[in-house]
Amino acid sequence: MMRRTLLTTAVVLITGAFAPAIPAGAGGDPATFINNLNNQVHVLVKNTSSEQKLAGFRELFREDFDVPRLGRFVLGRFWRILTPSEQQEFLELFENYVVHTYSDRLLEYDSDGAALRVTGSRPDPDGAIVSSEIIRGSGRGQPIKVDWRLTACNGGYKISDVIIDGISMAVTGRSELAGVAERNGGQPRAILAVMRQESANATLRQIAASP
């Protein structure tokens, strides 16, 4: 189920070739933040082992994504139903799933000649939205429009949503998680069960891929 979300799509899209640069969090310009995040991804893809990729992407996700905000949003009304310990488990499972998916997709796709071009940015009530295009390698179709919703945080930014051709990653993930609960009698803990299984499967794939 969760592999069909736009979260996975967004992960795949930012695996193109970019030149090394300064850390993503440096400076207060939202466009620079996005460019530098992708530069760091490129460095990890090209210069590290699979284990280092996993650790590196976990660090990037924690540093550059607003994990608590995104996690609470995708869980929606079910967030308030879970106990504090279950909420914490959800955020940990959410992070683990994204990090493993990130690593898996980079191993599969690596660099296919894609390039990202930031086309502008505009203020948003909570921070900024950066507009960009991803041009796929080998002439594979039209550029893909990607907007990055950034939340202002401690003088910098964190990513709270990725909008691909007008479709929100966060909204889509929220809808799919709500569907899991509804198919299980409206029980939000069914979401935790699904995510535990997804996380376990991702860990097994990582172990199997290790030398």
PDB file of all heavy atoms in Angstrom, residues 10 13-14 18 30-35 37-38 115-122 129-135 142-150 161-166:
ATOM      1  N   ALA A  10       8.381  11.041  -4.669  1.00  0.00           N
ATOM      2  CA  ALA A  10       9.245  12.185  -4.393  1.00  0.00           C
ATOM      3  C   ALA A  10      10.672  11.747  -4.122  1.00  0.00           C
ATOM      4  O   ALA A  10      11.637  12.373  -4.562  1.00  0.00           O
ATOM      5  CB  ALA A  10       8.704  12.967  -3.196  1.00  0.00           C
ATOM      6  N   LEU A  13      12.391  11.003  -7.382  1.00  0.00           N
ATOM      7  CA  LEU A  13      12.621  12.158  -8.233  1.00  0.00           C
ATOM      8  C   LEU A  13      13.853  12.950  -7.862  1.00  0.00           C
ATOM      9  O   LEU A  13      14.422  13.637  -8.698  1.00  0.00           O
ATOM     10  CB  LEU A  13      11.403  13.080  -8.202  1.00  0.00           C
ATOM     11  CG  LEU A  13      10.156  12.554  -8.902  1.00  0.00           C
ATOM     12  CD1 LEU A  13       9.008  13.527  -8.702  1.00  0.00           C
ATOM     13  CD2 LEU A  13      10.413  12.342 -10.384  1.00  0.00           C
ATOM     14  N   ILE A  14      14.289  12.925  -6.610  1.00  0.00           N
ATOM     15  CA  ILE A  14      15.410  13.756  -6.231  1.00  0.00           C
ATOM     16  C   ILE A  14      16.718  12.971  -6.180  1.00  0.00           C
ATOM     17  O   ILE A  14      17.626  13.262  -5.433  1.00  0.00           O
ATOM     18  CB  ILE A  14      15.166  14.477  -4.893  1.00  0.00           C
ATOM     19  CG1 ILE A  14      14.964  13.498  -3.750  1.00  0.00           C
ATOM     20  CG2 ILE A  14      14.010  15.418  -4.998  1.00  0.00           C
ATOM     21  CD1 ILE A  14      14.812  14.178  -2.405  1.00  0.00           C
ATOM     22  N   PHE A  18      23.691  16.163  -9.286  1.00  0.00           N
ATOM     23  CA  PHE A  18      23.888  17.551  -8.917  1.00  0.00           C
ATOM     24  C   PHE A  18      25.308  17.699  -8.394  1.00  0.00           C
ATOM     25  O   PHE A  18      25.860  16.784  -7.814  1.00  0.00           O
ATOM     26  CB  PHE A  18      22.894  17.996  -7.842  1.00  0.00           C
ATOM     27  CG  PHE A  18      21.466  17.723  -8.215  1.00  0.00           C
ATOM     28  CD1 PHE A  18      20.834  16.577  -7.759  1.00  0.00           C
ATOM     29  CD2 PHE A  18      20.775  18.576  -9.050  1.00  0.00           C
ATOM     30  CE1 PHE A  18      19.519  16.309  -8.121  1.00  0.00           C
ATOM     31  CE2 PHE A  18      19.468  18.299  -9.406  1.00  0.00           C
ATOM     32  CZ  PHE A  18      18.841  17.168  -8.946  1.00  0.00           C
ATOM     33  N   PRO A  30      15.299  30.056   0.687  1.00  0.00           N
ATOM     34  CA  PRO A  30      14.623  28.766   0.482  1.00  0.00           C
ATOM     35  C   PRO A  30      15.074  28.030  -0.769  1.00  0.00           C
ATOM     36  O   PRO A  30      15.167  26.798  -0.760  1.00  0.00           O
ATOM     37  CB  PRO A  30      13.139  29.154   0.406  1.00  0.00           C
ATOM     38  CG  PRO A  30      13.117  30.619   0.136  1.00  0.00           C
ATOM     39  CD  PRO A  30      14.348  31.182   0.748  1.00  0.00           C
ATOM     40  N   ALA A  31      15.344  28.746  -1.860  1.00  0.00           N
ATOM     41  CA  ALA A  31      15.803  28.078  -3.078  1.00  0.00           C
ATOM     42  C   ALA A  31      17.166  27.430  -2.863  1.00  0.00           C
ATOM     43  O   ALA A  31      17.426  26.311  -3.332  1.00  0.00           O
ATOM     44  CB  ALA A  31      15.859  29.082  -4.231  1.00  0.00           C
ATOM     45  N   THR A  32      18.035  28.119  -2.146  1.00  0.00           N
ATOM     46  CA  THR A  32      19.355  27.555  -1.845  1.00  0.00           C
ATOM     47  C   THR A  32      19.231  26.312  -0.983  1.00  0.00           C
ATOM     48  O   THR A  32      19.973  25.336  -1.154  1.00  0.00           O
ATOM     49  CB  THR A  32      20.226  28.605  -1.134  1.00  0.00           C
ATOM     50  OG1 THR A  32      20.380  29.740  -1.987  1.00  0.00           O
ATOM     51  CG2 THR A  32      21.601  28.053  -0.794  1.00  0.00           C
ATOM     52  N   PHE A  33      18.289  26.330  -0.067  1.00  0.00           N
ATOM     53  CA  PHE A  33      18.057  25.163   0.788  1.00  0.00           C
ATOM     54  C   PHE A  33      17.760  23.921  -0.056  1.00  0.00           C
ATOM     55  O   PHE A  33      18.333  22.844   0.162  1.00  0.00           O
ATOM     56  CB  PHE A  33      16.896  25.447   1.740  1.00  0.00           C
ATOM     57  CG  PHE A  33      16.460  24.262   2.566  1.00  0.00           C
ATOM     58  CD1 PHE A  33      17.046  24.009   3.791  1.00  0.00           C
ATOM     59  CD2 PHE A  33      15.465  23.410   2.120  1.00  0.00           C
ATOM     60  CE1 PHE A  33      16.639  22.922   4.561  1.00  0.00           C
ATOM     61  CE2 PHE A  33      15.055  22.320   2.873  1.00  0.00           C
ATOM     62  CZ  PHE A  33      15.650  22.087   4.098  1.00  0.00           C
ATOM     63  N   ILE A  34      16.865  24.052  -1.037  1.00  0.00           N
ATOM     64  CA  ILE A  34      16.500  22.906  -1.867  1.00  0.00           C
ATOM     65  C   ILE A  34      17.662  22.470  -2.744  1.00  0.00           C
ATOM     66  O   ILE A  34      17.955  21.267  -2.869  1.00  0.00           O
ATOM     67  CB  ILE A  34      15.266  23.235  -2.724  1.00  0.00           C
ATOM     68  CG1 ILE A  34      14.031  23.392  -1.833  1.00  0.00           C
ATOM     69  CG2 ILE A  34      15.013  22.146  -3.781  1.00  0.00           C
ATOM     70  CD1 ILE A  34      13.676  22.173  -1.018  1.00  0.00           C
ATOM     71  N   ASN A  35      18.355  23.409  -3.348  1.00  0.00           N
ATOM     72  CA  ASN A  35      19.505  23.049  -4.180  1.00  0.00           C
ATOM     73  C   ASN A  35      20.558  22.301  -3.370  1.00  0.00           C
ATOM     74  O   ASN A  35      21.104  21.287  -3.812  1.00  0.00           O
ATOM     75  CB  ASN A  35      20.114  24.306  -4.793  1.00  0.00           C
ATOM     76  CG  ASN A  35      19.405  24.751  -6.055  1.00  0.00           C
ATOM     77  OD1 ASN A  35      18.974  23.919  -6.858  1.00  0.00           O
ATOM     78  ND2 ASN A  35      19.268  26.052  -6.233  1.00  0.00           N
ATOM     79  N   LEU A  37      20.172  20.613  -0.535  1.00  0.00           N
ATOM     80  CA  LEU A  37      19.694  19.294  -0.132  1.00  0.00           C
ATOM     81  C   LEU A  37      19.969  18.271  -1.227  1.00  0.00           C
ATOM     82  O   LEU A  37      20.476  17.173  -0.972  1.00  0.00           O
ATOM     83  CB  LEU A  37      18.202  19.346   0.179  1.00  0.00           C
ATOM     84  CG  LEU A  37      17.500  18.006   0.432  1.00  0.00           C
ATOM     85  CD1 LEU A  37      18.067  17.319   1.667  1.00  0.00           C
ATOM     86  CD2 LEU A  37      16.001  18.195   0.571  1.00  0.00           C
ATOM     87  N   ASN A  38      19.655  18.625  -2.450  1.00  0.00           N
ATOM     88  CA  ASN A  38      19.875  17.704  -3.558  1.00  0.00           C
ATOM     89  C   ASN A  38      21.354  17.475  -3.830  1.00  0.00           C
ATOM     90  O   ASN A  38      21.757  16.375  -4.233  1.00  0.00           O
ATOM     91  CB  ASN A  38      19.177  18.247  -4.803  1.00  0.00           C
ATOM     92  CG  ASN A  38      17.679  18.036  -4.752  1.00  0.00           C
ATOM     93  OD1 ASN A  38      17.176  16.956  -5.012  1.00  0.00           O
ATOM     94  ND2 ASN A  38      16.960  19.072  -4.382  1.00  0.00           N
ATOM     95  N   ALA A 115      18.192  16.125 -13.875  1.00  0.00           N
ATOM     96  CA  ALA A 115      18.686  17.413 -13.388  1.00  0.00           C
ATOM     97  C   ALA A 115      17.535  18.203 -12.802  1.00  0.00           C
ATOM     98  O   ALA A 115      16.434  18.202 -13.336  1.00  0.00           O
ATOM     99  CB  ALA A 115      19.339  18.193 -14.526  1.00  0.00           C
ATOM    100  N   LEU A 116      17.801  18.871 -11.693  1.00  0.00           N
ATOM    101  CA  LEU A 116      16.794  19.708 -11.056  1.00  0.00           C
ATOM    102  C   LEU A 116      17.102  21.171 -11.325  1.00  0.00           C
ATOM    103  O   LEU A 116      18.250  21.599 -11.247  1.00  0.00           O
ATOM    104  CB  LEU A 116      16.753  19.446  -9.558  1.00  0.00           C
ATOM    105  CG  LEU A 116      15.762  20.300  -8.754  1.00  0.00           C
ATOM    106  CD1 LEU A 116      15.109  19.476  -7.657  1.00  0.00           C
ATOM    107  CD2 LEU A 116      16.449  21.522  -8.135  1.00  0.00           C
ATOM    108  N   ARG A 117      16.048  21.930 -11.631  1.00  0.00           N
ATOM    109  CA  ARG A 117      16.198  23.372 -11.851  1.00  0.00           C
ATOM    110  C   ARG A 117      15.169  24.094 -10.996  1.00  0.00           C
ATOM    111  O   ARG A 117      13.969  23.925 -11.185  1.00  0.00           O
ATOM    112  CB  ARG A 117      15.991  23.721 -13.326  1.00  0.00           C
ATOM    113  CG  ARG A 117      16.181  25.204 -13.640  1.00  0.00           C
ATOM    114  CD  ARG A 117      16.155  25.431 -15.141  1.00  0.00           C
ATOM    115  NE  ARG A 117      14.814  25.256 -15.679  1.00  0.00           N
ATOM    116  CZ  ARG A 117      13.947  26.267 -15.858  1.00  0.00           C
ATOM    117  NH1 ARG A 117      14.294  27.500 -15.534  1.00  0.00           N
ATOM    118  NH2 ARG A 117      12.758  26.038 -16.371  1.00  0.00           N
ATOM    119  N   VAL A 118      15.658  24.878 -10.048  1.00  0.00           N
ATOM    120  CA  VAL A 118      14.766  25.700  -9.242  1.00  0.00           C
ATOM    121  C   VAL A 118      14.295  26.871 -10.085  1.00  0.00           C
ATOM    122  O   VAL A 118      15.099  27.587 -10.681  1.00  0.00           O
ATOM    123  CB  VAL A 118      15.473  26.196  -7.968  1.00  0.00           C
ATOM    124  CG1 VAL A 118      14.606  27.222  -7.225  1.00  0.00           C
ATOM    125  CG2 VAL A 118      15.791  25.021  -7.044  1.00  0.00           C
ATOM    126  N   THR A 119      12.979  27.060 -10.149  1.00  0.00           N
ATOM    127  CA  THR A 119      12.417  28.102 -11.011  1.00  0.00           C
ATOM    128  C   THR A 119      11.902  29.306 -10.232  1.00  0.00           C
ATOM    129  O   THR A 119      11.540  30.318 -10.845  1.00  0.00           O
ATOM    130  CB  THR A 119      11.272  27.531 -11.864  1.00  0.00           C
ATOM    131  OG1 THR A 119      10.265  26.986 -10.999  1.00  0.00           O
ATOM    132  CG2 THR A 119      11.784  26.433 -12.783  1.00  0.00           C
ATOM    133  N   GLY A 120      11.877  29.231  -8.922  1.00  0.00           N
ATOM    134  CA  GLY A 120      11.432  30.372  -8.135  1.00  0.00           C
ATOM    135  C   GLY A 120      10.983  29.968  -6.753  1.00  0.00           C
ATOM    136  O   GLY A 120      10.929  28.787  -6.415  1.00  0.00           O
ATOM    137  N   SER A 121      10.664  30.953  -5.942  1.00  0.00           N
ATOM    138  CA  SER A 121      10.137  30.699  -4.608  1.00  0.00           C
ATOM    139  C   SER A 121       9.182  31.824  -4.242  1.00  0.00           C
ATOM    140  O   SER A 121       9.254  32.927  -4.793  1.00  0.00           O
ATOM    141  CB  SER A 121      11.265  30.593  -3.573  1.00  0.00           C
ATOM    142  OG  SER A 121      11.947  31.829  -3.453  1.00  0.00           O
ATOM    143  N   ARG A 122       8.293  31.529  -3.316  1.00  0.00           N
ATOM    144  CA  ARG A 122       7.320  32.529  -2.876  1.00  0.00           C
ATOM    145  C   ARG A 122       7.017  32.301  -1.405  1.00  0.00           C
ATOM    146  O   ARG A 122       7.136  31.177  -0.897  1.00  0.00           O
ATOM    147  CB  ARG A 122       6.038  32.442  -3.703  1.00  0.00           C
ATOM    148  CG  ARG A 122       5.288  31.119  -3.595  1.00  0.00           C
ATOM    149  CD  ARG A 122       4.127  31.055  -4.574  1.00  0.00           C
ATOM    150  NE  ARG A 122       3.308  29.865  -4.429  1.00  0.00           N
ATOM    151  CZ  ARG A 122       3.574  28.703  -5.037  1.00  0.00           C
ATOM    152  NH1 ARG A 122       4.648  28.589  -5.817  1.00  0.00           N
ATOM    153  NH2 ARG A 122       2.756  27.686  -4.872  1.00  0.00           N
ATOM    154  N   ILE A 129       7.428  28.374  -0.347  1.00  0.00           N
ATOM    155  CA  ILE A 129       7.254  27.297  -1.316  1.00  0.00           C
ATOM    156  C   ILE A 129       8.274  27.515  -2.426  1.00  0.00           C
ATOM    157  O   ILE A 129       8.332  28.600  -3.019  1.00  0.00           O
ATOM    158  CB  ILE A 129       5.826  27.260  -1.890  1.00  0.00           C
ATOM    159  CG1 ILE A 129       4.818  26.919  -0.794  1.00  0.00           C
ATOM    160  CG2 ILE A 129       5.734  26.237  -3.027  1.00  0.00           C
ATOM    161  CD1 ILE A 129       3.384  26.915  -1.254  1.00  0.00           C
ATOM    162  N   VAL A 130       9.080  26.512  -2.688  1.00  0.00           N
ATOM    163  CA  VAL A 130      10.076  26.572  -3.752  1.00  0.00           C
ATOM    164  C   VAL A 130       9.576  25.762  -4.936  1.00  0.00           C
ATOM    165  O   VAL A 130       9.217  24.590  -4.790  1.00  0.00           O
ATOM    166  CB  VAL A 130      11.434  26.017  -3.277  1.00  0.00           C
ATOM    167  CG1 VAL A 130      12.444  26.014  -4.426  1.00  0.00           C
ATOM    168  CG2 VAL A 130      11.962  26.850  -2.108  1.00  0.00           C
ATOM    169  N   SER A 131       9.531  26.393  -6.107  1.00  0.00           N
ATOM    170  CA  SER A 131       9.102  25.710  -7.331  1.00  0.00           C
ATOM    171  C   SER A 131      10.328  25.215  -8.090  1.00  0.00           C
ATOM    172  O   SER A 131      11.357  25.896  -8.143  1.00  0.00           O
ATOM    173  CB  SER A 131       8.301  26.668  -8.224  1.00  0.00           C
ATOM    174  OG  SER A 131       7.121  27.089  -7.567  1.00  0.00           O
ATOM    175  N   SER A 132      10.199  24.024  -8.672  1.00  0.00           N
ATOM    176  CA  SER A 132      11.310  23.458  -9.413  1.00  0.00           C
ATOM    177  C   SER A 132      10.798  22.553 -10.520  1.00  0.00           C
ATOM    178  O   SER A 132       9.613  22.210 -10.574  1.00  0.00           O
ATOM    179  CB  SER A 132      12.232  22.665  -8.476  1.00  0.00           C
ATOM    180  OG  SER A 132      11.575  21.514  -7.972  1.00  0.00           O
ATOM    181  N   GLU A 133      11.703  22.192 -11.404  1.00  0.00           N
ATOM    182  CA  GLU A 133      11.425  21.213 -12.453  1.00  0.00           C
ATOM    183  C   GLU A 133      12.489  20.134 -12.391  1.00  0.00           C
ATOM    184  O   GLU A 133      13.665  20.425 -12.170  1.00  0.00           O
ATOM    185  CB  GLU A 133      11.466  21.848 -13.839  1.00  0.00           C
ATOM    186  CG  GLU A 133      10.357  22.830 -14.120  1.00  0.00           C
ATOM    187  CD  GLU A 133      10.445  23.394 -15.526  1.00  0.00           C
ATOM    188  OE1 GLU A 133      11.565  23.404 -16.098  1.00  0.00           O
ATOM    189  OE2 GLU A 133       9.408  23.821 -16.055  1.00  0.00           O
ATOM    190  N   ILE A 134      12.073  18.902 -12.572  1.00  0.00           N
ATOM    191  CA  ILE A 134      13.024  17.800 -12.695  1.00  0.00           C
ATOM    192  C   ILE A 134      12.992  17.315 -14.133  1.00  0.00           C
ATOM    193  O   ILE A 134      11.948  16.886 -14.639  1.00  0.00           O
ATOM    194  CB  ILE A 134      12.716  16.666 -11.714  1.00  0.00           C
ATOM    195  CG1 ILE A 134      12.961  17.173 -10.286  1.00  0.00           C
ATOM    196  CG2 ILE A 134      13.569  15.452 -12.000  1.00  0.00           C
ATOM    197  CD1 ILE A 134      12.775  16.142  -9.215  1.00  0.00           C
ATOM    198  N   ILE A 135      14.122  17.421 -14.783  1.00  0.00           N
ATOM    199  CA  ILE A 135      14.258  17.015 -16.176  1.00  0.00           C
ATOM    200  C   ILE A 135      14.879  15.633 -16.197  1.00  0.00           C
ATOM    201  O   ILE A 135      16.021  15.437 -15.753  1.00  0.00           O
ATOM    202  CB  ILE A 135      15.123  18.022 -16.949  1.00  0.00           C
ATOM    203  CG1 ILE A 135      14.509  19.427 -16.837  1.00  0.00           C
ATOM    204  CG2 ILE A 135      15.262  17.612 -18.412  1.00  0.00           C
ATOM    205  CD1 ILE A 135      15.411  20.527 -17.337  1.00  0.00           C
ATOM    206  N   GLN A 142       8.342  14.974 -20.583  1.00  0.00           N
ATOM    207  CA  GLN A 142       8.346  16.367 -20.188  1.00  0.00           C
ATOM    208  C   GLN A 142       8.896  16.541 -18.767  1.00  0.00           C
ATOM    209  O   GLN A 142       8.846  15.617 -17.955  1.00  0.00           O
ATOM    210  CB  GLN A 142       6.923  16.923 -20.248  1.00  0.00           C
ATOM    211  CG  GLN A 142       6.326  16.945 -21.645  1.00  0.00           C
ATOM    212  CD  GLN A 142       7.092  17.885 -22.554  1.00  0.00           C
ATOM    213  OE1 GLN A 142       7.406  19.012 -22.183  1.00  0.00           O
ATOM    214  NE2 GLN A 142       7.405  17.418 -23.761  1.00  0.00           N
ATOM    215  N   PRO A 143       9.412  17.729 -18.469  1.00  0.00           N
ATOM    216  CA  PRO A 143       9.864  17.991 -17.094  1.00  0.00           C
ATOM    217  C   PRO A 143       8.731  17.794 -16.098  1.00  0.00           C
ATOM    218  O   PRO A 143       7.564  18.025 -16.397  1.00  0.00           O
ATOM    219  CB  PRO A 143      10.300  19.461 -17.146  1.00  0.00           C
ATOM    220  CG  PRO A 143      10.617  19.724 -18.582  1.00  0.00           C
ATOM    221  CD  PRO A 143       9.652  18.873 -19.368  1.00  0.00           C
ATOM    222  N   ILE A 144       9.079  17.378 -14.905  1.00  0.00           N
ATOM    223  CA  ILE A 144       8.116  17.149 -13.837  1.00  0.00           C
ATOM    224  C   ILE A 144       8.169  18.342 -12.887  1.00  0.00           C
ATOM    225  O   ILE A 144       9.242  18.697 -12.372  1.00  0.00           O
ATOM    226  CB  ILE A 144       8.430  15.855 -13.083  1.00  0.00           C
ATOM    227  CG1 ILE A 144       8.376  14.662 -14.047  1.00  0.00           C
ATOM    228  CG2 ILE A 144       7.465  15.649 -11.924  1.00  0.00           C
ATOM    229  CD1 ILE A 144       8.936  13.390 -13.470  1.00  0.00           C
ATOM    230  N   LYS A 145       7.040  18.977 -12.660  1.00  0.00           N
ATOM    231  CA  LYS A 145       6.991  20.128 -11.763  1.00  0.00           C
ATOM    232  C   LYS A 145       6.889  19.655 -10.311  1.00  0.00           C
ATOM    233  O   LYS A 145       6.028  18.842  -9.981  1.00  0.00           O
ATOM    234  CB  LYS A 145       5.805  21.014 -12.120  1.00  0.00           C
ATOM    235  CG  LYS A 145       5.936  21.674 -13.490  1.00  0.00           C
ATOM    236  CD  LYS A 145       4.753  22.593 -13.774  1.00  0.00           C
ATOM    237  CE  LYS A 145       4.910  23.257 -15.138  1.00  0.00           C
ATOM    238  NZ  LYS A 145       3.779  24.171 -15.447  1.00  0.00           N
ATOM    239  N   VAL A 146       7.776  20.179  -9.493  1.00  0.00           N
ATOM    240  CA  VAL A 146       7.803  19.804  -8.083  1.00  0.00           C
ATOM    241  C   VAL A 146       7.881  21.073  -7.235  1.00  0.00           C
ATOM    242  O   VAL A 146       8.776  21.899  -7.423  1.00  0.00           O
ATOM    243  CB  VAL A 146       9.003  18.894  -7.753  1.00  0.00           C
ATOM    244  CG1 VAL A 146       8.977  18.502  -6.274  1.00  0.00           C
ATOM    245  CG2 VAL A 146       9.017  17.658  -8.637  1.00  0.00           C
ATOM    246  N   ASP A 147       6.924  21.237  -6.337  1.00  0.00           N
ATOM    247  CA  ASP A 147       6.943  22.327  -5.368  1.00  0.00           C
ATOM    248  C   ASP A 147       7.310  21.764  -4.001  1.00  0.00           C
ATOM    249  O   ASP A 147       6.789  20.714  -3.586  1.00  0.00           O
ATOM    250  CB  ASP A 147       5.585  23.017  -5.274  1.00  0.00           C
ATOM    251  CG  ASP A 147       5.271  23.861  -6.496  1.00  0.00           C
ATOM    252  OD1 ASP A 147       6.213  24.214  -7.236  1.00  0.00           O
ATOM    253  OD2 ASP A 147       4.084  24.145  -6.721  1.00  0.00           O
ATOM    254  N   TRP A 148       8.174  22.482  -3.313  1.00  0.00           N
ATOM    255  CA  TRP A 148       8.635  22.068  -1.984  1.00  0.00           C
ATOM    256  C   TRP A 148       8.067  23.042  -0.965  1.00  0.00           C
ATOM    257  O   TRP A 148       8.402  24.227  -0.983  1.00  0.00           O
ATOM    258  CB  TRP A 148      10.160  22.085  -1.917  1.00  0.00           C
ATOM    259  CG  TRP A 148      10.829  21.335  -3.026  1.00  0.00           C
ATOM    260  CD1 TRP A 148      11.068  21.781  -4.299  1.00  0.00           C
ATOM    261  CD2 TRP A 148      11.347  20.019  -2.968  1.00  0.00           C
ATOM    262  NE1 TRP A 148      11.701  20.822  -5.034  1.00  0.00           N
ATOM    263  CE2 TRP A 148      11.887  19.724  -4.247  1.00  0.00           C
ATOM    264  CE3 TRP A 148      11.409  19.047  -1.961  1.00  0.00           C
ATOM    265  CZ2 TRP A 148      12.478  18.507  -4.548  1.00  0.00           C
ATOM    266  CZ3 TRP A 148      12.004  17.831  -2.254  1.00  0.00           C
ATOM    267  CH2 TRP A 148      12.533  17.570  -3.530  1.00  0.00           C
ATOM    268  N   ARG A 149       7.203  22.570  -0.080  1.00  0.00           N
ATOM    269  CA  ARG A 149       6.654  23.426   0.970  1.00  0.00           C
ATOM    270  C   ARG A 149       7.601  23.391   2.166  1.00  0.00           C
ATOM    271  O   ARG A 149       7.868  22.321   2.726  1.00  0.00           O
ATOM    272  CB  ARG A 149       5.265  22.951   1.388  1.00  0.00           C
ATOM    273  CG  ARG A 149       4.556  23.927   2.343  1.00  0.00           C
ATOM    274  CD  ARG A 149       3.183  23.422   2.731  1.00  0.00           C
ATOM    275  NE  ARG A 149       2.315  23.277   1.582  1.00  0.00           N
ATOM    276  CZ  ARG A 149       1.622  24.270   1.036  1.00  0.00           C
ATOM    277  NH1 ARG A 149       1.725  25.494   1.533  1.00  0.00           N
ATOM    278  NH2 ARG A 149       0.848  24.048   0.007  1.00  0.00           N
ATOM    279  N   LEU A 150       8.107  24.550   2.533  1.00  0.00           N
ATOM    280  CA  LEU A 150       9.086  24.658   3.611  1.00  0.00           C
ATOM    281  C   LEU A 150       8.486  25.362   4.816  1.00  0.00           C
ATOM    282  O   LEU A 150       7.767  26.361   4.669  1.00  0.00           O
ATOM    283  CB  LEU A 150      10.318  25.431   3.142  1.00  0.00           C
ATOM    284  CG  LEU A 150      11.001  24.950   1.856  1.00  0.00           C
ATOM    285  CD1 LEU A 150      12.231  25.817   1.558  1.00  0.00           C
ATOM    286  CD2 LEU A 150      11.378  23.482   1.940  1.00  0.00           C
ATOM    287  N   ASP A 161       6.196  19.279   3.011  1.00  0.00           N
ATOM    288  CA  ASP A 161       5.400  18.633   1.960  1.00  0.00           C
ATOM    289  C   ASP A 161       6.146  18.746   0.641  1.00  0.00           C
ATOM    290  O   ASP A 161       6.952  19.659   0.435  1.00  0.00           O
ATOM    291  CB  ASP A 161       4.030  19.288   1.832  1.00  0.00           C
ATOM    292  CG  ASP A 161       3.016  18.439   1.058  1.00  0.00           C
ATOM    293  OD1 ASP A 161       3.337  17.275   0.727  1.00  0.00           O
ATOM    294  OD2 ASP A 161       1.913  18.931   0.793  1.00  0.00           O
ATOM    295  N   VAL A 162       5.885  17.798  -0.247  1.00  0.00           N
ATOM    296  CA  VAL A 162       6.389  17.828  -1.616  1.00  0.00           C
ATOM    297  C   VAL A 162       5.180  17.677  -2.531  1.00  0.00           C
ATOM    298  O   VAL A 162       4.391  16.745  -2.370  1.00  0.00           O
ATOM    299  CB  VAL A 162       7.408  16.698  -1.886  1.00  0.00           C
ATOM    300  CG1 VAL A 162       7.934  16.790  -3.315  1.00  0.00           C
ATOM    301  CG2 VAL A 162       8.558  16.761  -0.891  1.00  0.00           C
ATOM    302  N   ILE A 163       5.021  18.601  -3.462  1.00  0.00           N
ATOM    303  CA  ILE A 163       3.843  18.643  -4.328  1.00  0.00           C
ATOM    304  C   ILE A 163       4.290  18.376  -5.757  1.00  0.00           C
ATOM    305  O   ILE A 163       5.020  19.167  -6.357  1.00  0.00           O
ATOM    306  CB  ILE A 163       3.136  20.013  -4.210  1.00  0.00           C
ATOM    307  CG1 ILE A 163       2.779  20.283  -2.747  1.00  0.00           C
ATOM    308  CG2 ILE A 163       1.889  20.046  -5.090  1.00  0.00           C
ATOM    309  CD1 ILE A 163       2.437  21.719  -2.458  1.00  0.00           C
ATOM    310  N   ILE A 164       3.875  17.241  -6.302  1.00  0.00           N
ATOM    311  CA  ILE A 164       4.345  16.785  -7.613  1.00  0.00           C
ATOM    312  C   ILE A 164       3.239  16.952  -8.633  1.00  0.00           C
ATOM    313  O   ILE A 164       2.183  16.331  -8.524  1.00  0.00           O
ATOM    314  CB  ILE A 164       4.794  15.318  -7.550  1.00  0.00           C
ATOM    315  CG1 ILE A 164       5.876  15.144  -6.476  1.00  0.00           C
ATOM    316  CG2 ILE A 164       5.307  14.849  -8.915  1.00  0.00           C
ATOM    317  CD1 ILE A 164       6.190  13.715  -6.160  1.00  0.00           C
ATOM    318  N   ASP A 165       3.489  17.821  -9.618  1.00  0.00           N
ATOM    319  CA  ASP A 165       2.466  18.116 -10.632  1.00  0.00           C
ATOM    320  C   ASP A 165       1.118  18.430  -9.983  1.00  0.00           C
ATOM    321  O   ASP A 165       0.062  17.956 -10.413  1.00  0.00           O
ATOM    322  CB  ASP A 165       2.333  16.957 -11.629  1.00  0.00           C
ATOM    323  CG  ASP A 165       3.437  16.978 -12.678  1.00  0.00           C
ATOM    324  OD1 ASP A 165       4.006  18.057 -12.916  1.00  0.00           O
ATOM    325  OD2 ASP A 165       3.707  15.921 -13.269  1.00  0.00           O
ATOM    326  N   GLY A 166       1.157  19.210  -8.911  1.00  0.00           N
ATOM    327  CA  GLY A 166      -0.059  19.657  -8.248  1.00  0.00           C
ATOM    328  C   GLY A 166      -0.640  18.696  -7.236  1.00  0.00           C
ATOM    329  O   GLY A 166      -1.669  19.002  -6.618  1.00  0.00           O
TER     330      GLY A 166
END
